Amino acid sequence: MTIIEARGLTKTYKSKSGPVHALAGLDLTVPRGTVKALLGPNGAGKTTVVKMLTTLIRPDSGTALVDGIDVVANPKGVRRIIGVSGQYAAVDENLTGFENLEMVGRLYHLGGRAARKRAHELIDLFELTAAGNRPVKGFSGGMRRRIDLAGALVINPKVLFLDEPTTGLDPRSRLALWDVIKRLVADGTTVLLTTQYLEEADQLSDDIMVIDGGKAIAEGTSDELKAQIGGHRLVIALVNAADSAPARQIMARYGSGEPTVTTDGRGVEVAVTDGPAGLQHVLAELGAAGIDLHDAGMRRPTLDDVFLKLTGHKADLSVTDDDETDAAKPAKGRRARTDNPSDASSDTPPRELVK
Amino acid sequence: MTAIASTLPDWNPLSLWYSDGWTVTKRNLIKIKRSPDMLVFAVIQPIMFVVLFSQVYAGAIQVQGTDYVQFLMAGIFAQTVVFGATFSGAAMAQDLKEGIIDRFRSLPMSASAVLIGRTNSDLVLNTISMVIMMATGLAVGWRVNSTVPEFLAGVGLLLLFGYAFSWVMALLGMSVKSPEVINNASFLILFPLTFISNAFVPSETLPTPLRIFAEFNPVSSLVQAARQLFGNEGSAPVPDIWTMQNPILTVLIGVAVMLIVFVPLCIRKFASISSR
């Protein structure tokens, strides 16, 4: 059964360089009890979708129903059944973790006693007991996110919206937050998640929609998408650039697509479907051919790979100033996002070298 | 996870409005308590103004029929409540910047609760400032020469004006979206509004264009009303225009107009703002 049903959502922002189509007719369907990830680079329109479905902004055209309630006609009805946690932790710095959660509970109209009780439960659940009675000001980024996420769970929401829940977090906090989200998902909560990281979508969701330029460009399970882009990537670094042609030929035999060679001729990469076995074969043949290697390994596909495959261009992970919602003002404030391409690539999991 | 009833108590809109407004007010008051810079500003600035003006200008400025300290205090009260409204603007802009407004807007709370909480807590802050200023005033020789009801009416009128004006500043804060801009912008508005008035000097001493501005300035009416209600008028002639001859009524009309115009504008604006 469908719980989120959106048809033809559009939103256009005015900017100095002309109108920006944040959403250009997006359809979205999320079955009850599933996790859907919206995957895309900055400015793709992910945040705009979430803001529309959570009643923060109105679509220029199109309709959206959350649990059968129209987000434009009855925003309050929608707000009663959803929980929202965004990429900027929307918590009050001067309030303690507990006070933040109690306030949210009161504003969901649970009443004072139930709001306090629920705040205590969430503080325990999110292992924030030590920090619950200190102002959020002194919390780490990961702890702020956890308080923010707890705020989205004060009621058991019918739909939980997570807008880039781990953007800007260090890898350890990211893993911890994934863990929390996975537990929620196991309880059957419907989640709509946005992310820039393929791995995050892979880890957390049942179904992925890839969006770019305000439109869906692919949709399917993580396996289906990976089959399209060829699963893992096999990467080698040559000692001599002259070996790139024979190396390419060897890799072409085991890859699921055409191998690519870097401009300096030393790096060769190909998508593989049979995992480490492909690497073993390639290494054996390269050794037999007497080709020396600096490095060889596997890496999981990234958003860039998905984009390269689906659109023929790389995902633009740099910030565009045009988009008011997704990419706006990253450098401002203490909780500035880290948005540059080098940072995005540092989030790529390390190559798993064969032992 | 513990199950939480998703069927929420069926509260009537009025009690929801009241309870949501109070929840946000409480949040703002905790903020004031925890960020001493704001409280220090609200406490120290009025003391400084009372002491500076009364000690620096008292010898130089002659006011007909009364001494300068008596004349000055209503002016400083009015200036403080008007400046105090800036908090509403700056705090709305700050909330927007921090993203907490998005949290509020995604909750099923009453649409005006955040604004009501904002203006309420600024009323509390203004009241604290007022008490401190009055104590300081009494220490430097200010005296109230009226009845208790008149005195209370005077205090009420000042706070009411400040309250209504914070709705104006709240709209400004939501429009500019930056606490720094709102601080700079409000000083550009507030300094002329409070200084080109009868707050610190009798308006008849001003050059003609400024005198005309001062006589029609709503702050002048507020100051004049407070002087009347505290019995600090002296015998200087009151400008022969309706707003200065009927200052209390003028202030009440001004307050009503500000609330009627800016409360709906603020609520409408709030329904469409989003942090980022």
Side-chain angles (χ1 to χ4, degrees):
Chain A
M1 206 170 94
T2 305
I3 193 159
I4 297 178
E5 177 103 56
R7 288 286 161 265
L9 292 179
T10 67
K11 185 80 190 176
T12 305
Y13 291 106
K14 277 174 260 160
S15 86
K16 280 172 212 133
S17 51
V20 176
H21 302 286
L23 282 183
L26 189 97
D27 297 337
L28 175 70
T29 307
V30 182
R32 196 180 294 272
T34 64
V35 182
K36 169 88 94 186
L38 297 179
L39 177 68
N42 277 318
K46 305 185 298 293
T47 299
T48 307
V49 178
V50 171
K51 285 196 168 183
M52 276 178 191
L53 294 174
T54 57
T55 76
L56 294 181
I57 56 175
R58 295 162 68 104
D60 292 341
S61 67
T63 56
L65 303 178
V66 177
D67 198 28
I69 307 168
D70 189 305
V71 295
V72 175
N74 185 6
K76 234 181 210 174
V78 173
R79 291 171 195 171
R80 265 189 212 113
I81 57 163
I82 61 170
V84 190
S85 179
Q87 54 185 307
Y88 306 92
V91 288
D92 195 311
E93 301 253 307
N94 291 290
L95 266 53
T96 65
F98 178 80
E99 285 164 346
N100 265 293
L101 296 175
E102 188 201 347
M103 176 178 76
V104 171
R106 284 176 179 274
L107 295 174
Y108 269 116
H109 307 132
L110 300 180
R113 186 181 304 169
R116 279 190 299 277
K117 181 165 170 280
R118 184 61 181 159
H120 279 302
E121 285 170 6
L122 288 165
I123 292 273
D124 289 343
L125 186 75
F126 284 80
E127 288 153 17
L128 289 159
T129 318
N133 292 316
R134 291 207 323 261
V136 171
K137 223 182 267 180
F139 287 17
S140 68
M143 275 160 80
R144 278 167 203 261
R145 293 289 176 95
R146 273 189 279 164
I147 287 283
D148 191 58
L149 183 56
L153 298 169
V154 164
I155 55 166
N156 274 352
K158 286 190 178 169
V159 184
L160 176 62
F161 293 90
L162 300 174
D163 187 19
E164 301 200 13
T166 66
T167 299
L169 289 186
D170 59 80
R172 223 180 77 187
S173 307
R174 169 169 301 154
L175 289 176
L177 207 61
W178 279 0
D179 208 47
V180 173
I181 296 170
K182 279 178 188 166
R183 270 191 281 161
L184 290 172
V185 169
D187 282 354
T189 310
T190 306
V191 180
L192 183 69
L193 160 93
T194 76
T195 181
Q196 299 184 36
Y197 311 119
L198 183 62
E199 200 202 348
E200 183 159 281
D202 189 11
Q203 287 274 334
L204 301 176
S205 66
D206 302 313
D207 213 21
I208 300 172
M209 178 187 263
V210 184
I211 62 175
D212 184 36
K215 278 192 209 125
I217 55 171
E219 193 170 7
T221 63
S222 151
D223 286 342
E224 286 164 359
L225 282 178
K226 276 195 203 150
Q228 275 194 48
I229 58 165
H232 280 62
R233 324 285 296 176
L234 199 160
V235 191
I236 60 167
L238 297 165
V239 173
N240 299 311
D243 291 333
S244 66
R248 197 173 176 280
Q249 279 178 7
I250 292 168
M251 285 171 75
R253 287 207 289 277
Y254 297 98
S256 61
E258 278 297 295
T260 55
V261 182
T262 55
T263 44
D264 67 359
R266 288 167 186 272
V268 188
E269 185 176 327
V270 73
V272 290
T273 44
D274 57 351
L279 179 63
Q280 283 170 340
H281 293 303
V282 168
L283 286 179
E285 288 211 25
L286 288 171
I291 296 172
D292 291 329
L293 299 178
H294 269 310
D295 198 358
M298 309 275 295
R299 68 175 178 81
R300 275 173 262 187
T302 63
L303 182 59
D304 257 335
D305 300 320
V306 177
F307 266 72
L308 203 57
K309 185 75 186 184
L310 292 173
T311 66
H313 66 82
K314 287 207 156 203
D316 182 13
L317 293 172
S318 63
V319 177
T320 53
D321 286 331
D322 299 339
D323 193 292
E324 288 279 342
T325 48
D326 267 307
K329 306 162 203 128
K332 270 193 184 171
R334 288 174 301 282
R335 282 159 287 130
R337 258 195 306 161
T338 47
D339 268 336
N340 53 60
S342 64
D343 210 77
S345 61
S346 75
D347 285 309
T348 313
R351 291 177 186 183
E352 303 148 40
L353 289 170
V354 178
K355 293 180 189 104
Chain B
M1 271 217 177
T2 325
I4 274 275
S6 48
T7 44
L8 304 172
D10 228 355
W11 296 15
N12 72 59
L14 196 68
S15 66
L16 271 189
W17 176 78
Y18 176 82
S19 123
D20 289 350
W22 172 236
T23 301
V24 181
T25 305
K26 219 165 56 180
R27 167 243 178 188
N28 292 335
L29 293 178
I30 294 175
K31 274 174 95 85
I32 293 175
K33 206 175 73 186
R34 300 237 171 97
S35 54
D37 47 329
M38 218 157 120
L39 197 59
V40 165
F41 185 71
V43 169
I44 302 290
Q45 184 189 276
I47 296 179
M48 198 177 73
F49 270 105
V50 171
V51 172
L52 281 183
F53 275 87
S54 68
Q55 303 309 306
V56 175
Y57 294 120
I61 301 173
Q62 300 301 315
V63 185
Q64 205 177 313
T66 182
D67 71 87
Y68 186 63
V69 173
Q70 311 305 320
F71 175 84
L72 169 73
M73 287 306 294
I76 294 208
F77 295 150
Q79 187 214 24
T80 303
V81 295
V82 169
F83 273 57
T86 321
F87 273 132
S88 286
M92 284 308 293
Q94 187 67 34
D95 281 353
L96 263 172
K97 194 176 158 184
E98 284 178 3
I100 187 88
I101 294 287
D102 277 0
R103 163 71 70 208
F104 286 140
R105 285 202 53 230
S106 69
L107 293 172
M109 62 196 285
S110 150
S112 56
V114 171
L115 294 153
I116 289 185
R118 181 76 263 148
T119 48
N120 275 354
S121 55
D122 290 334
L123 181 62
V124 172
L125 205 61
N126 254 342
T127 309
I128 296 171
S129 292
M130 189 71 86
V131 170
I132 288 161
M133 272 189 299
M134 289 190 162
T136 316
L138 291 171
V140 297
W142 173 62
R143 293 296 175 264
V144 177
N145 304 307
S146 61
T147 63
V148 172
E150 279 174 325
F151 166 74
L152 291 177
V155 174
L157 205 63
L158 284 162
L159 292 175
L160 194 62
F161 189 90
Y163 178 78
F165 197 59
S166 31
W167 284 89
V168 180
M169 297 311 285
L171 185 69
L172 197 62
M174 287 187 283
S175 307
V176 302
K177 293 185 170 186
S178 146
E180 294 81 19
V181 172
I182 185 92
N183 277 327
N184 295 335
S186 46
F187 280 102
L188 283 180
I189 301 167
L190 298 187
F191 268 100
L193 208 58
T194 50
F195 279 82
I196 309 173
S197 76
N198 60 357
F200 303 104
V201 293
S203 57
E204 73 259 21
T205 63
L206 298 172
T208 309
L210 294 188
R211 180 178 56 79
I212 294 168
F213 179 88
E215 285 170 356
F216 286 95
N217 184 345
V219 175
S220 294
S221 300
L222 179 64
V223 173
Q224 184 62 26
R227 278 189 189 130
Q228 272 184 19
L229 290 164
F230 296 151
N232 296 144
E233 283 173 280
S235 57
V238 177
D240 193 21
I241 56 173
W242 191 88
T243 55
M244 292 303 285
Q245 293 292 334
N246 304 282
I248 300 171
L249 198 56
T250 304
V251 170
L252 289 174
I253 293 170
V255 165
V257 169
M258 280 193 276
L259 291 177
I260 289 167
V261 172
F262 286 92
V263 172
L265 282 181
C266 278
I267 292 173
R268 230 181 70 184
K269 180 80 187 167
F270 185 80
S272 69
I273 53 173
S274 182
S275 294
R276 292 177 177 90

